Amino acid sequence: AGNYGFQAQPTGFPGGFVVPPVQSQPTMDGTIWMPIPPSIPNCPPGLEYLTQQIDQVLIHQQLELLEIVTGFEESNKYELKNALGQRVYFAAEDTDCLTRNCCGPSRPFTIRIIDNLGHEVITLHRPLRCSTCCCPCCLQELEVQAPPGTTVGYVVQNWHACLPKFTIQDEKRMDILKITGPCFMCRCCEDINFEVKSVDETCAVGRISKQWTGFVREMFTDTDNFGISFPMDLDVKMKAVMIGACFLIVSLSF
């Protein structure tokens, strides 16, 4: 629990965590959580944080000292923050050591996204599939569940000879949005942007960006920062699927 930035729970409260203060006060490790929003009818529990008050999410991968020193791939952990720098969620990769170090960026994974009460509110599942661009018959796919066990959408890789392209689908496999990345990922001293567009790709509605973090960090670590922007009035389920799209892009491209 310490890895998630939660405080120890006094005896008698189930779950082992204490309800954080309503005000944006830091926890014992200095983390400032976003205030708990009120429940909203017909909104999956935990996705209230993504309602109309949120139009962007910043994802910061945590630095793993052992991985830097030894090169041994550790389980990735991420902070998800709003534009004010308040933590909205914490995400942790759930994979075994052998899978991480043998399969590399092609590895299957489960990422569990947790709110400030310690509840798992979003689960991302990526199965093992071929990762070569020359094989269009078995492209990447990621399933987004919110809450765990209830599918709200998918991120599907689309084959293209030059560009990384993806489709965001709802739980019924209907196409909702398209994502197109640049042909070349290596760009020194500038961000790398994946444009989020309407289904017909005529209108840009958002962006997923890999943010430049400085020469030293880019060269000697694999920790990255990402930004996701989307319309405030986008359905909260699709906002959750866009978060999933960001993690799939991270695993494939960076």
Side-chain angles (χ1 to χ4, degrees):
N3 291 334
Y4 296 160
F6 298 122
Q7 300 180 32
Q9 170 62 35
T11 304
F13 189 89
F17 304 118
V18 61
V19 177
V22 175
Q23 302 300 321
S24 300
Q25 299 175 0
T27 58
M28 293 177 63
D29 67 349
T31 300
I32 299 177
W33 283 91
M34 180 179 172
I36 303 172
S39 59
I40 299 174
N42 301 319
C43 177
L47 298 193
E48 297 91 348
Y49 294 89
L50 299 178
T51 52
Q52 294 189 9
Q53 57 184 317
I54 291 285
D55 65 349
Q56 61 178 306
V57 174
L58 307 176
I59 301 179
H60 302 297
Q61 184 176 352
Q62 293 191 341
L63 205 62
E64 299 292 343
L65 184 59
L66 179 63
E67 186 173 330
I68 296 172
V69 174
T70 66
F72 195 75
E73 184 72 21
E74 292 285 297
S75 179
N76 292 323
K77 301 179 181 65
Y78 306 85
E79 289 183 290
L80 283 70
K81 298 182 178 181
N82 61 18
L84 300 177
Q86 300 167 330
R87 185 188 284 182
V88 182
Y89 299 117
F90 183 89
E93 180 184 359
D94 184 3
T95 53
D96 60 76
C97 179
L98 184 63
T99 299
R100 289 195 303 272
N101 288 278
C102 292
C103 298
S106 299
R107 66 180 180 258
F109 60 68
T110 296
I111 292 180
R112 306 188 188 281
I113 300 179
I114 298 156
D115 68 7
N116 63 6
L117 295 179
H119 300 147
E120 183 178 343
V121 296
I122 304 172
T123 305
L124 311 177
H125 289 298
R126 176 194 174 188
L128 179 63
R129 290 195 174 185
C130 176
S131 60
T132 175
C133 62
C134 298
C135 183
C137 61
C138 192
L139 297 173
Q140 299 296 320
E141 182 174 298
L142 181 137
E143 179 185 0
V144 181
Q145 299 178 357
T150 302
T151 301
V152 295
Y154 300 88
V155 184
V156 179
Q157 184 183 21
N158 306 129
W159 187 86
H160 192 278
C162 301
L163 301 175
K165 304 192 74 171
F166 305 87
T167 298
I168 288 180
Q169 300 177 333
D170 64 12
E171 68 276 14
K172 297 180 181 179
R173 294 281 187 171
M174 292 186 61
D175 294 352
I176 303 297
L177 296 169
K178 298 284 187 176
I179 301 175
T180 303
C183 184
F184 298 103
M185 299 291 180
C186 183
R187 296 185 181 181
C188 185
C189 303
E190 65 180 37
D191 295 350
I192 299 174
N193 298 318
F194 290 72
E195 300 297 333
V196 182
K197 301 179 180 181
S198 57
V199 174
D200 59 8
E201 301 190 43
T202 60
C203 177
V205 299
R207 176 177 291 176
I208 296 174
S209 301
K210 191 271 183 186
Q211 300 168 346
W212 174 256
T213 56
F215 180 79
V216 173
R217 188 160 183 165
E218 294 281 345
M219 287 294 295
F220 297 104
T221 75
D222 64 355
T223 56
D224 295 308
N225 293 335
F226 294 85
I228 307 170
S229 62
F230 36 62
M232 279 195 177
D233 59 354
L234 183 67
D235 183 86
V236 291
K237 295 179 182 179
M238 294 303 101
K239 289 182 180 181
V241 179
M242 279 192 63
I243 291 174
C246 182
F247 280 107
L248 182 59
I249 289 171
V250 169
S251 65
L252 290 174
S253 304
F254 305 104

